[in-house]
Amino acid sequence: MSELKNKTIAEIVSEDISTASVFKKYHIDFCCGGGKTVENACIKANVNVDDVINDLINNIPKNNTPSLNFKDWSAEFLTDYIVNVHHTYVKENMEIIHEFATKVATVHGHHATETIEIAELFSKLRDELYAHLDKEETILFPAIRMKAIDQNYQYDKEVISILEDEHEHAGDIVKKITFLSNNFTTPEWACNTFKALYFKLDEFINDLYQHIHLENNILFSKVK
Ligand SMILES: [Fe+2]
Ligand SMILES: [Fe+2]
């Protein structure tokens, strides 16, 4: 614990770029103010150092999730899982990534023009995803849950093909971002915000692929 307190923000973020989100959450500058120790940065940001340390310790990468047998789950249980795990993740992380992307494009756009395009594409993806998640949470998923209670309940399944088209469109944007970022490879001169942007984008896109796979290939095929 005290060891972490006395490490500098730059050391921690350099060792594990995923910790950038923890510092971001507490408004601690990990890019330009990275030379400060965690303790000093917390004092300056007026936040409780123990809260920050706890979050750093609990910052377990998402890909540690065990493999689950989704195919055996009921459709209504899957809708709860998708909302609680994937929709929550998307909503929690979109704003952070949007902020990183805007910052990197503003600072580095003149000599790394792909960052401007990435910021624009992510902004488009974000707008589309908000509307898409809303459609699932207010139209399709409640209908699937109603059907689980009442087998005679009927609903318009046209919404499924709309959602599938939207998945495909999101997939196209994601492929462009992956290509422009050279598969999330940061240039040698990249600052910590740039590194955090590509790390988070990579994580976000992996989550989105899993999320879309669960909906297209498992949930929708159960209810069609
Ligand atoms: Fe979804
Ligand atoms: Fe979806």
Side-chain angles (χ1 to χ4, degrees):
M1 198 90 155
S2 65
E3 197 193 313
L4 263 179
K5 261 187 206 175
N6 297 320
K7 268 191 162 181
T8 66
I9 309 288
E11 277 174 326
I12 295 171
V13 175
S14 301
E15 279 167 22
D16 179 3
I17 196 72
S18 73
T19 57
S21 315
V22 175
F23 293 120
K24 173 78 191 52
K25 177 180 163 191
Y26 290 99
H27 307 290
I28 292 171
D29 185 353
F30 59 85
C31 194
C32 308
K36 290 190 186 69
T37 62
V38 173
E39 190 165 31
N40 287 339
C42 288
I43 293 167
K44 185 156 186 271
N46 201 19
V47 294
N48 186 325
V49 65
D50 292 334
D51 290 345
V52 176
I53 299 278
N54 271 331
D55 276 14
L56 287 172
I57 292 168
N58 292 322
N59 180 55
I60 302 160
K62 267 185 71 71
N63 55 13
N64 280 358
T65 47
S67 51
L68 299 165
N69 225 353
F70 300 111
K71 280 200 168 83
D72 294 343
W73 294 2
S74 67
E76 66 278 16
F77 189 80
L78 270 168
T79 63
D80 286 339
Y81 176 85
I82 289 167
V83 171
N84 288 315
V85 175
H86 293 291
H87 289 200
T88 301
Y89 170 81
V90 169
K91 288 173 196 168
E92 277 177 4
N93 286 278
M94 273 198 305
E95 293 312 310
I96 295 174
I97 297 173
H98 178 66
E99 210 176 299
F100 286 167
T102 308
K103 191 173 173 186
V104 171
T106 308
V107 178
H108 299 293
H110 65 286
H111 62 103
T113 50
E114 71 280 7
T115 59
I116 297 175
E117 226 177 313
I118 289 171
E120 284 169 359
L121 283 165
F122 190 80
S123 178
K124 195 165 183 287
L125 180 67
R126 168 175 160 259
D127 292 346
E128 289 184 11
L129 280 177
Y130 274 126
H132 177 83
L133 300 189
D134 190 58
K135 234 173 262 163
E136 290 176 344
E137 290 178 23
T138 62
I139 302 170
L140 182 65
F141 292 2
I144 291 173
R145 293 181 196 125
M146 276 299 289
K147 182 86 180 169
I149 299 166
D150 176 5
Q151 283 303 306
N152 296 320
Y153 179 77
Q154 297 295 329
Y155 61 94
D156 185 1
K157 294 196 174 166
E158 179 59 29
V159 69
I160 295 178
S161 45
I162 296 170
L163 293 168
E164 283 171 334
D165 288 347
E166 290 177 356
H167 288 163
E168 207 176 315
H169 196 248
D172 289 342
I173 296 179
V174 155
K175 277 179 214 139
K176 281 184 200 156
I177 292 176
T178 307
F179 173 76
L180 285 166
S181 68
N182 192 16
N183 211 8
F184 313 106
T185 311
T186 47
E188 255 174 48
W189 48 263
C191 61
N192 276 338
T193 306
F194 202 143
K195 288 179 189 163
L197 170 66
Y198 277 13
F199 174 84
K200 291 296 289 179
L201 270 174
D202 191 10
E203 181 192 71
F204 186 87
I205 288 170
N206 282 331
D207 179 83
L208 196 61
Y209 278 135
Q210 208 192 338
H211 177 179
I212 292 176
H213 158 73
L214 270 183
E215 290 174 352
N216 277 358
N217 304 328
I218 300 181
L219 178 65
F220 296 172
S221 66
K222 275 182 190 283
V223 299
K224 263 180 186 170

